[in-house]
Amino acid sequence: MITGNDVYISEDVYIKHSDKVIIGDHVAIDKGFYCTTNLKVGDYVHISPYVTCIGSIRGHFVSEGFNNIMAGARIICGSDRFDSSGLFGAMIPEHLKGKQIFQPVVMEPLSNIGTNAIVLPGSTLRKGVLLTAGSLLIGDTEEWGVYKGNPAKLVKKIDGSTLINSARELGYEF
């Protein structure tokens, strides 16, 4: 695991593939974070308690910076397809397994995931996106959008100029 400066990682965090982890500066990862994927975390990120990021060594999660992932959120970077292509489950022999999906989940700068939200493989939270509490994101988003529901739909757009200016004060350009 490669970590930057001013990084707090709670003692009961589980990261399975720690050799595939890069963590930037000013990052806090709270109690109960469980990760089984490749992980790249940018600067000024907070991962709240009991967040799960799953998808095996074939999965990838990227948080580009200035992100918050609220308590109980689920980030799925790899999953079975659950169709008629074969059997499903971690312990099924490869030759009997059905189709699987492994696509990265990406949080662009200033995007946030609400409490108990779920993000499925291949989803991208564009710059400034807010996925509200309890929502299910499948796919791409629009910059500065607020997404709500199951499946998550764009409910409004926000002006991100104050956020961008604040990040600039810390030396960041987007």
Side-chain angles (χ1 to χ4, degrees):
M1 180 174 344
I2 300 170
T3 61
N5 297 311
D6 190 25
V7 173
Y8 166 79
I9 300 175
S10 180
E11 64 186 47
D12 63 349
V13 163
Y14 176 80
I15 299 175
K16 184 169 186 173
H17 305 289
S18 61
D19 60 324
K20 306 287 185 186
V21 172
I22 300 170
I23 298 174
D25 297 333
H26 314 291
V27 173
I29 302 176
D30 290 344
K31 176 181 178 109
F33 177 59
Y34 180 89
C35 182
T36 65
T37 66
N38 295 287
L39 179 65
K40 184 175 181 185
V41 177
D43 297 341
Y44 293 99
V45 173
H46 179 216
I47 301 175
S48 296
Y50 303 107
V51 169
T52 303
C53 181
I54 61 170
S56 80
I57 190 68
R58 293 171 58 192
H60 296 271
F61 174 57
V62 177
S63 165
E64 293 182 357
F66 293 92
N67 307 112
N68 291 287
I69 306 165
M70 299 292 99
R74 305 291 180 239
I75 300 162
I76 316 300
C77 303
S79 175
D80 293 322
R81 286 291 304 252
F82 298 103
D83 57 14
S84 61
S85 62
L87 297 172
F88 301 102
M91 302 308 291
I92 301 297
E94 281 300 315
H95 72 283
L96 298 174
K97 250 187 202 297
K99 292 179 185 171
Q100 297 177 306
I101 303 168
F102 291 97
Q103 295 178 331
V105 170
V106 177
M107 293 180 75
E108 291 185 355
L110 303 164
S111 62
N112 298 282
I113 298 174
T115 299
N116 290 327
I118 300 170
V119 181
L120 293 183
S123 295
T124 301
L125 288 91
R126 298 287 173 193
K127 183 175 17 172
V129 161
L130 169 61
L131 178 63
T132 63
S135 295
L136 172 68
L137 182 62
I138 305 168
D140 205 351
T141 58
E142 295 178 28
E143 287 188 1
W144 303 107
V146 176
Y147 286 80
K148 179 180 181 179
N150 181 357
K153 303 276 188 213
L154 178 65
V155 294
K156 71 178 180 177
K157 298 278 269 197
I158 60 172
D159 176 4
S161 57
T162 300
L163 299 171
I164 290 171
N165 289 335
S166 295
R168 283 185 180 140
E169 284 188 35
L170 294 170
Y172 290 85
E173 289 292 328
F174 303 107

